[in-house]
Amino acid sequence: MLVNGQPTRTIWLDPDDPSKVCIIDQRHLPHDFKIIRLESLTDTANAISDMKVRGAPLIGATAAFGIYLALLSAGQENADHLLDEAVELLNKTRPTAVNLAWATRRCQTAIRTVKDPGAKIETALQTARDICREDIDICYRIGQHGLPILEALATRKPAGPLNILTHCNAGWLATVDWGTATAPIYQAHQKGMDIHVWVDETRPRNQGASLTAWELGQEGVPHTVITDNMGGLLMQQGKVDLVITGTDRTTSTGDVANKIGTYLKALAAFDNNIPFYVALPTTSIDWQLKEGSDIPIEERSAEEVKYIQGWHEDEGAIKKVLITPPDSPALNYGFDITPARLVTGFITEKGVCEASEGGLKD
């Protein structure tokens, strides 16, 4: 997708130094487009846990490059031992997103099949590149399958744009390119469809206001940032035609773990008879879990709730400020669970299906 008119991905090998991996430090967006370089396994683990990178597919791709960096520094004799340590460390960084464990397991399997110690590093790098390449193709195909849904809804509107509501950031910043929930939106925009996106701010880290709004603006997609609590009113007023979100983990029966607040949007959509779709790569499906209540929910630092950061216009810098009483405690669960019964359907790279065990298996 575009950054200042230039096609850009979220992660890539440094063309001048293949021992470094480049990422966009998303903590500084939308005010500062900052590229940093990962040089070690520790750098990679910190990038994931500190949310320099985020979004289930991108977390998986970043972890794969982290394993490559770990083996690169290990030396041929210690490769297998360090591989296990790297996988264990990376898997602990963000427990909810299933793509993380999927990617590290894929890397581990591929590297172990290679007997030549000198070829293990090349295998690690190739696997990371394959994961990135496949993610781009998957997201593009999610867009292809989701586009007819948008077109069908648009043809039924007598006038005005198709109004789509999103929550959090399931855009290209959460993947390697295209995004999941945004892929149909971008493809509709590129076809010239009249669309408009309501962007939930997504407290406490404001990924909607800072990330989704920024990337939609880079692509020229009409959008409006709203408070998290405004979506229900807009639905009651007939100003929302469709809700599309992403997911960090989906059970085999169709329960969806996504950014905190998704469940409330699904309830509001259900009450107002508005389609609620979840766009996901099939790598985000946890086939071992049936109940959403069994998904581990990450509890993050209370500071994310107590403090907020933004651009200080007078000082020309990003500042963090306290917005609660200093002594007030805060609770910060990162995700919630939307039951399958509230989901109209899943948009995957293999097609659109019912949000059920049978639908997913088909």
Side-chain angles (χ1 to χ4, degrees), residues 235 243 261-271 274 276 338-339 342-343:
M235 293 183 201
V243 181
T262 303
Y263 174 46
L264 297 179
K265 290 301 181 297
L267 285 171
F270 183 81
D271 191 51
I274 293 169
F276 181 95
T338 299
L342 299 177
V343 180

Side-chain angles (χ1 to χ4, degrees), residues 118-130:
K120 289 181 181 291
I121 294 172
E122 182 58 36
T123 300
L125 176 58
Q126 187 58 51
T127 304
R129 283 174 160 166
D130 287 345

Side-chain angles (χ1 to χ4, degrees), residues 68-87:
Y68 158 69
L69 293 175
L71 295 191
L72 197 61
S73 65
Q76 296 182 10
E77 295 181 1
N78 300 319
D80 285 339
H81 176 67
L82 191 59
L83 172 62
D84 294 337
E85 290 185 349
V87 169

Side-chain angles (χ1 to χ4, degrees), residues 95-136:
T96 301
V98 74
N99 294 67
L100 174 57
W102 169 84
T104 57
R105 184 169 57 250
R106 175 170 168 176
C107 292
Q108 196 172 33
T109 300
I111 293 164
R112 286 206 180 282
T113 60
V114 178
K115 302 304 181 183
D116 178 12
K120 289 181 181 291
I121 294 172
E122 182 58 36
T123 300
L125 176 58
Q126 187 58 51
T127 304
R129 283 174 160 166
D130 287 345
I131 287 173
C132 289
R133 175 181 50 79
E134 291 167 14
D135 183 65
I136 295 169

